[in-house]
Amino acid sequence: MGAIRIAVEPPGPRARRVVERTERLTSTSFLRQYPFVMKSGKGAILEDVDGNRYIDMNAGIAVLALGTAPDPVVRAIARAASRFTHYSYTDFYYEGIPRLAAELARITPGGFRKRVYFGNSGAEATEAAMKLTRYHSRRPRFLAFTGAFHGRTMGALSLTASKPVQVRGFSPLVPGVEHVPYPYCYRCPFGKTFPDCGFFCVDFIEDQLFRRHVPPDEVAAFFVEPIQGEGGYVVPPDGYFGRLKRLIEPHGIALVDDEIQAGMGRTGRWFAMEHFGVEPDVVLVAKAIASGLPLSAMIARDELMDWPPGSHASTFGGNPVAVEAALATIRTMRRMRVLENAERVGEHMMRRLEEMRERYEVVGDVRGKGLMIGVELVRDKSSREPSPEAARRVVDYSWRHGVLLITAGVSTLRFAPPLVITEELADEALDVVEEGMREADAEERRRRDPRDRRVFANV
């Protein structure tokens, strides 16, 4: 008997009541892909308020590395909360802060000395890095990528270039930000093919940006995602970040590595940049650091952190309960060897998804590392035209049949399950996703040829 159980056609009556009240009482700015209403869960299995049971391929948007309610972390939270729930580490001291700072300095890339700033969210970590690198360098400009997502506060939003809805109506943004193309090889903006291109996208920065309209000695930092998240789970080719670092380092431009979604073990390494052999100057961490409690960290080279007392702080950043949750999360990840599991199960899922790419015309590209996997759906393989309709169809079919999955980019299915998921659970989930894929493939074929009435794509 499998893990999935659909007792009531979703959304059930209790879910509909919660959705209605939520929509009536909360901000209109939220975008949800389907009306799943969480009740409880354990690991990679969740239950909604109507008793339906699902396999989780979202991990709370790449937050729940150990799955829902991991026992060691829950116990650590209870112990910490029973002692004290807050006392602002930016004004006073408590023991967990240096312990967690030391752990993060140890596991982030780079053997140099580091210092850590704690905040509450990924956007706060981004804002802190913008302020720090500007202060240290006395330079006004930043570089970021098209397709990037670094947060929604005004500074972070200025770096973000993922979807127009995220920026529409909020200008003027923070000035001095320039965006350059990400190495999105499946859809190269320059129409080139790797490796024959010779990293043309890096040469473009030097030849077109630095030599024509952005003086590199005015750039404080280049903000990068080692694997783009909201932009579509896009994986750059090997060697790209090494080439980029060699370009910007002589100009004194700091490399800020946004690991908010890709870090904390998601790719089978503590941090995704480790796959590319590059040591960033600043690393941003949030999401999975504390198993769902609000916490973020900016880890920077010691020499960069020369801002004076009072120049930046956060009342709630580094909350003592969240800090203990983070320490318990890291300990448990080591003990359970979740990085190895993410690599092993991720490879297994990639093999199955590659088989679907061969089988279905609607699957254009499969990419990822560890348990950060994107499957881009298209009208057909020859045109590569994105098919957001197909992506919506697969996501909707999946949640109605017991698998929680969302999209990224224009038409990419985003697979980001808890890092503790087993191959058996992954297979059960992928069986459901493949049924949705088969339906989407048949529908896309009917769009191309209305006379085609076949039901299954592999008939």
Side-chain angles (χ1 to χ4, degrees), residues 60 110 114 130 243 250 286 291 312 346 379 450:
K114 304 161 189 171
M130 293 179 76
R243 180 74 173 271
S291 291
H312 195 58
R379 302 276 186 222

Side-chain angles (χ1 to χ4, degrees), residues 165-177:
V165 69
Q166 294 161 351
V167 297
R168 183 179 291 118
F170 299 116
S171 291
L173 302 177
V174 173
V177 177

Side-chain angles (χ1 to χ4, degrees), residues 398-416:
S398 297
W399 94 268
R400 290 183 183 280
H401 292 82
V403 176
L404 302 179
L405 181 70
I406 62 171
T407 60
V410 176
S411 61
T412 297
L413 304 177
R414 177 193 329 214
F415 292 87

Side-chain angles (χ1 to χ4, degrees), residues 131-423:
K131 289 181 68 174
L132 175 68
T133 54
R134 256 192 185 173
Y135 183 89
H136 174 79
S137 67
R138 300 299 197 269
R139 297 176 176 187
R141 295 176 181 259
F142 299 105
L143 299 180
F145 284 116
T146 53
F149 185 88
H150 296 287
R152 289 185 171 92
T153 52
M154 291 304 286
L157 185 64
S158 305
L159 299 170
T160 292
S162 180
K163 295 179 176 70
V165 69
Q166 294 161 351
V167 297
R168 183 179 291 118
F170 299 116
S171 291
L173 302 177
V174 173
V177 177
E178 299 281 346
H179 290 91
V180 298
Y182 195 79
Y184 189 173
C185 293
Y186 183 68
R187 298 189 180 280
C188 177
F190 303 106
K192 297 186 179 295
T193 304
F194 184 81
D196 297 338
C197 65
F199 294 111
F200 181 86
C201 49
V202 178
D203 294 337
F204 172 84
I205 298 170
E206 182 174 23
D207 296 339
Q208 300 299 317
L209 204 69
F210 289 167
R211 291 180 181 171
R212 294 178 184 272
H213 68 105
V214 175
D217 60 0
E218 291 189 358
V219 178
F222 198 147
F223 282 73
V224 308
E225 292 169 278
I227 297 174
Q228 278 201 332
E230 302 300 312
Y233 274 34
V234 182
V235 182
D238 290 342
Y240 174 82
F241 281 113
R243 180 74 173 271
L244 181 67
K245 186 83 184 302
R246 289 193 296 274
L247 170 64
I248 67 173
E249 195 167 47
H251 295 294
I253 300 170
L255 182 65
V256 179
D257 176 20
D258 179 344
E259 296 270 0
I260 292 163
Q261 186 159 178
M264 295 305 295
R266 176 135 302 277
T267 67
R269 309 277 178 91
W270 279 112
F271 296 97
M273 193 60 81
E274 295 177 63
H275 291 282
F276 305 105
V278 169
E279 295 182 349
D281 301 294
V282 181
V283 177
L284 309 182
V285 188
K287 285 192 180 287
I289 188 174
S291 291
L293 270 64
L295 183 68
S296 65
M298 174 188 67
I299 305 98
R301 287 181 179 270
D302 177 81
E303 61 268 24
L304 287 181
M305 210 170 281
D306 56 1
W307 47 11
S311 59
H312 195 58
S314 167
T315 299
F316 290 105
N319 171 272
V321 180
V323 165
E324 293 302 323
L327 286 164
T329 298
I330 293 171
R331 285 195 303 269
T332 307
M333 289 177 71
R334 285 198 179 103
R335 181 175 57 79
M336 295 182 65
R337 304 179 68 86
V338 298
L339 273 65
E340 292 90 335
N341 190 68
E343 185 174 29
R344 183 178 64 255
V345 179
E347 289 174 355
H348 176 76
M349 289 180 63
M350 286 281 285
R351 283 193 296 271
R352 283 210 55 185
L353 291 165
E354 284 286 358
E355 290 169 2
M356 293 183 208
R357 187 175 68 84
E358 294 298 319
R359 195 173 295 133
Y360 305 111
E361 185 71 10
V362 76
V363 182
D365 194 30
V366 175
R367 52 192 179 242
K369 289 185 182 295
L371 287 172
M372 187 174 187
I373 301 171
V375 177
E376 187 163 350
L377 302 190
V378 294
R379 302 276 186 222
D380 58 80
K381 286 182 169 65
S382 58
S383 73
R384 297 192 180 184
E385 181 184 351
S387 180
E389 297 85 1
R392 282 194 294 269
R393 180 181 287 270
V394 175
V395 166
D396 185 69
Y397 181 94
S398 297
W399 94 268
R400 290 183 183 280
H401 292 82
V403 176
L404 302 179
L405 181 70
I406 62 171
T407 60
V410 176
S411 61
T412 297
L413 304 177
R414 177 193 329 214
F415 292 87
L419 307 187
V420 295
I421 195 169
T422 63
E423 286 189 11

